[in-house]
């Protein structure tokens, strides 16, 4: 079950990695690991609230929707557990200076670009939780997991969150990449590229994500060697894109072995390898508004960048955005010119880890710099600012966090990427008009994620 990537590195190579500052080994002592579940949450966040009480203590997270969720027949689309909550205040251009120290440069730029932009701020609710069975796994990872390949791989790592007590930017980023997303899940969602006048045509997707540990028979040490998860995506609408499918075997160490990806092109009726499904490669159905490594806010090999850990701060981030899953709303209700309708958004004050990625000398990527803000309770990237090659702020992304309390999984109800130059934006993940949103725990076989299976899907 454990990842054992690059376990046979030479002593000299191990010494080199250990001397690389931000890429040092992250093992902690048993004594330090004992803080997990004590002064720290089981995932490594500070359990206590902040000094002025605007961030409460973590008390176990949201593991049930309570009375309001009774009778809900669809655990894949949890009802809003806080229907009575009202905004404490709104951030607008009129009071922006009062709150800008708790916003990212990209968030501040949204106010400057759109005079009527507003951000409704609610009571902070620390809803994040995992299944109890994973808490011991995370604690074991704290004393066993190590970075290898200059920080581009992980060894002695089991399932989720290798570095709950990180000391470098790359350790923080790996926690995002490996965070728990239900083990096995099928989603029916949309990608909606929005033009400057607010017009849009939804592109509908069905995708499936599964960790090897959750396949039939569990992880196979040989067959799943170096595999973090399997991912299958199919486009189901509009007609011009229907039938296009993508298969990914996400590798843990993508420097040792690049991500394995295949695409079925409905027009050509054939399966081909897709090495450009990585980094700033194009993504299907998004009108050029995000790169391949923007999916899930950030994904893939971190080797093109130099990473710096800035530290932690308090910040207003999208959180508990259950309204975005409300089936009484249409896409027309939510999507408007410039940005999503603030009536259906929720921001809260949370502590975040801040990491900065600067493109290495000699490497190429359309983003010369990224600054990421990761929620301390979930390790999910909640906000990311993207800069172009001239150093100008270009795009700002926000991940709208929700807790799928019926299955112990923090994830997102939507991801949004704003192009500050063009005024267009992309929202992915909305499913308000889809008959079914999420299906958890489906049993799948390793064969379902083979290139041969992709051919069958195409036919």
């Amino acid at each position: 079950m454990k990842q054992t990537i690059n376990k046979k590195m030479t002593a000299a190579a191990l010494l080199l990695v250990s001397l690389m500052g931000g890429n040092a080994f992250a093992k902690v002592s048993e004594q330090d690991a004992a803080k997990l579940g004590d002064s720290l949450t089981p995932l490594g966040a500070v359990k206590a609230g902040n000094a002025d009480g605007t961030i409460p203590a973590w008390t176990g997270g949201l593991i049930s929707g309570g009375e309001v969720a009774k009778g809900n027949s669809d655990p894949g689309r949890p009802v809003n557990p806080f229907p009575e909550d009202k905004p404490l205040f709104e951030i607008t251009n009129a009071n922006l200076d009062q709150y800008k120290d708790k916003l990212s440069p990209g968030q501040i730029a949204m106010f400057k670009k759109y005079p009527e932009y507003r951000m409704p701020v609610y009571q902070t609710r620390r809803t994040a939780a995992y299944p109890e069975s994973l808490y011991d796994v995370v604690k074991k990872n704290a004393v066993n997991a190590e970075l290898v390949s200059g920080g581009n791989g992980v060894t002695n790592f089991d399932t989720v969150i290798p570095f709950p007590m990180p000391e470098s930017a790359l350790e923080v980023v790996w926690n995002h990449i490996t965070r728990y997303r239900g083990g096995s899940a099928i989603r029916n969602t949309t990608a909606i590229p929005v033009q400057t006048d607010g017009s849009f045509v939804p592109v509908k997707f069905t995708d499936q994500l599964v960790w090897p540990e959750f396949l039939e028979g569990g992880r196979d040490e040989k067959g799943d060697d170096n595999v973090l998860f399997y991912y299958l995506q199919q486009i189901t609408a509009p007609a011009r894109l229907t039938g296009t499918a993508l298969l990914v075997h996400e590798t843990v160490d993508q420097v040792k072995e690049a991500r394995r990806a295949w695409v079925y092109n409905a027009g050509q009726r054939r399966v081909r390898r897709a090495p450009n499904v990585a980094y700033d490669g194009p993504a299907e159905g998004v009108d050029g508004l995000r790169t391949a490594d923007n999916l899930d806010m950030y994904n893939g090999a971190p080797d093109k960048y130099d990473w710096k850990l800035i530290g932690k701060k308090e910040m207003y981030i999208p959180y508990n955005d259950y309204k975005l899953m409300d089936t009484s709303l249409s896409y027309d209700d939510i999507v408007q010119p410039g940005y999503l309708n603030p009536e259906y958004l929720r921001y809260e004050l949370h502590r975040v880890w801040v990491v900065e990625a600067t493109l290495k000398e000699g490497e190429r990527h359309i983003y010369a710099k990224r600054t990421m803000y990761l929620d301390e309770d979930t390790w999910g990237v909640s906000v990311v600012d993207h800069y172009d090659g001239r150093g100008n702020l270009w795009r700002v992304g926000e991940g709208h966090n929700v807790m799928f309390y019926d299955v112990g999984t923090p994830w997102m109800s939507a991801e949004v990427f704003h192009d500050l130059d063009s005024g267009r934006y992309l929202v992915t993940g909305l499913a308000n008009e889809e008959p079914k949103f999420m299906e958890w725990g489906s049993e799948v076989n390793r064969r379902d994620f083979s290139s041969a299976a992709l051919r069958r899907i195409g036919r």
Side-chain angles (χ1 to χ4, degrees):
M1 193 171 184
K2 291 184 179 180
Q3 297 286 354
T4 55
I5 311 308
N6 282 1
K7 200 167 184 178
K8 296 182 179 179
M9 294 179 69
T10 65
L14 291 173
L15 177 60
L16 176 62
V17 173
S18 71
L19 294 174
M20 292 181 65
N23 299 344
F25 291 160
K27 282 186 176 183
V28 302
S29 67
E30 294 279 359
Q31 183 178 2
D32 284 339
K35 297 175 184 176
L36 296 170
D38 184 17
S39 59
L40 302 178
T41 73
L43 300 186
V46 175
K47 185 181 283 189
N50 64 358
D52 58 12
T54 50
I55 297 176
W58 184 84
T59 57
L62 185 68
I63 57 175
S64 166
E67 288 295 322
V68 72
K70 283 187 175 179
N72 180 35
S73 60
D74 186 0
R77 202 188 313 253
V79 299
N80 184 359
F82 314 118
E84 304 302 319
D85 283 7
K86 305 295 182 186
L88 302 175
F89 58 90
E90 285 190 334
I91 303 174
T92 67
N93 269 293
N95 63 6
L96 178 60
D97 286 346
Q98 184 179 346
Y99 301 106
K100 65 194 319 180
D101 64 320
K102 291 182 171 61
L103 299 172
S104 81
Q107 289 176 311
I108 294 170
M110 289 292 292
F111 288 95
K112 293 180 179 178
K113 186 169 182 66
Y114 302 105
E116 302 303 317
Y117 186 67
R118 55 194 173 93
M119 185 181 288
V121 177
Y122 286 72
Q123 170 187 353
T124 298
R125 296 186 179 274
R126 297 180 67 180
T127 48
Y130 276 9
E132 287 281 345
S133 59
L134 289 178
Y135 290 154
D136 285 340
V137 171
V138 174
K139 185 175 287 189
K140 290 178 182 176
N141 284 340
V143 298
N144 292 322
E146 301 172 350
L147 290 173
V148 293
S149 296
N152 296 306
V154 186
T155 189
N156 298 330
F157 152 65
D158 189 349
T159 315
V160 295
I161 313 295
F163 310 117
M165 304 172 73
E167 296 182 353
S168 74
L170 276 171
E171 293 160 13
V172 172
V173 170
W174 274 107
N175 286 344
H176 165 78
I177 292 171
T178 61
R179 74 196 192 284
Y180 185 61
R181 278 158 280 174
S184 175
I186 300 174
R187 302 188 299 173
N188 298 289
T189 64
T190 58
I192 304 179
V194 186
Q195 306 308 311
T196 53
D197 62 359
S199 62
F200 62 88
V201 176
V203 178
K204 300 190 177 187
F205 293 86
T206 295
D207 61 19
Q208 188 169 10
L209 179 70
V210 62
W211 262 246
E213 288 80 4
F214 297 87
L215 289 168
E216 292 178 6
R219 173 178 285 275
D220 179 88
E221 290 297 333
K222 183 177 180 180
D224 301 318
D225 179 49
N226 199 26
V227 174
L228 178 63
F229 59 74
Y230 296 97
Y231 177 74
L232 178 63
Q233 179 193 82
Q234 303 171 63
I235 298 180
T236 58
R240 63 184 173 83
L241 295 174
T242 299
T244 301
L246 168 69
L247 172 65
V248 172
H249 296 179
E250 185 76 340
T251 52
V252 180
D253 185 345
Q254 293 190 14
V255 175
K256 172 190 175 186
E257 180 185 16
R259 167 185 287 164
R260 311 168 203 152
W262 299 261
V263 169
Y264 176 81
N265 185 291
Q268 298 175 350
R269 295 188 178 183
R270 68 186 183 94
V271 173
R272 58 181 176 81
R273 290 298 295 261
N276 62 338
V277 180
Y279 304 116
D280 57 358
E284 196 72 62
V286 298
D287 202 18
L289 285 165
R290 72 161 172 80
T291 58
D293 62 7
N294 275 146
L295 181 63
D296 197 41
M297 303 303 290
Y298 176 78
N299 72 84
D303 61 309
K304 283 186 177 289
Y305 292 92
D306 289 318
W307 295 84
K308 180 180 179 181
L309 179 60
I310 305 299
K312 292 180 79 171
K313 64 174 289 184
E314 295 180 2
M315 184 171 170
Y316 294 112
I317 60 176
Y319 224 91
N320 293 313
D321 272 301
Y322 290 95
K323 288 183 182 179
L324 289 178
M325 296 191 292
D326 190 338
T327 55
S328 70
L329 300 176
S330 69
Y331 299 142
D332 283 327
D333 294 325
I334 297 171
V335 176
Q336 62 178 33
Y339 46 86
L340 298 183
N341 190 335
E343 290 295 323
Y344 308 118
L345 303 183
R346 176 176 178 137
Y347 289 81
E348 299 179 2
L349 186 67
H350 287 260
R351 286 181 291 246
V352 297
W353 291 89
V354 186
V355 299
E356 185 177 273
T358 304
L359 195 63
K360 291 178 179 178
E361 189 74 28
E363 292 286 0
R364 301 186 67 178
H365 197 291
I366 63 170
Y367 301 139
K369 188 175 81 169
R370 295 162 130 136
T371 306
M372 301 183 188
Y373 304 84
L374 298 88
D375 170 38
E376 73 162 348
D377 285 334
T378 64
W379 295 108
V381 174
S382 293
V383 177
V384 54
D385 294 340
H386 306 81
Y387 296 81
D388 64 21
R390 296 167 296 174
N392 296 326
L393 186 59
W394 179 13
R395 291 175 176 170
V396 55
E398 291 189 325
H400 291 260
N401 298 286
V402 290
M403 178 64 197
F404 291 85
Y405 45 79
D406 289 314
V407 290
T409 305
W411 211 346
M412 291 176 285
S413 55
E415 301 174 54
V416 186
F417 289 90
H418 295 275
D419 189 310
L420 296 170
D421 292 342
S422 70
R424 299 183 303 139
Y425 70 98
L426 172 74
V427 53
T428 63
L430 293 181
N432 309 73
E433 298 180 16
E434 311 313 310
K436 195 170 188 64
F437 177 25
M438 299 282 288
E439 179 183 337
W440 302 95
S442 54
E443 289 192 5
V444 291
N445 191 285
R446 193 171 288 98
R447 293 190 301 272
D448 298 333
F449 295 92
S450 66
S451 57
L454 192 63
R455 291 186 184 91
R456 290 194 296 271
I457 290 170
R459 289 196 296 268

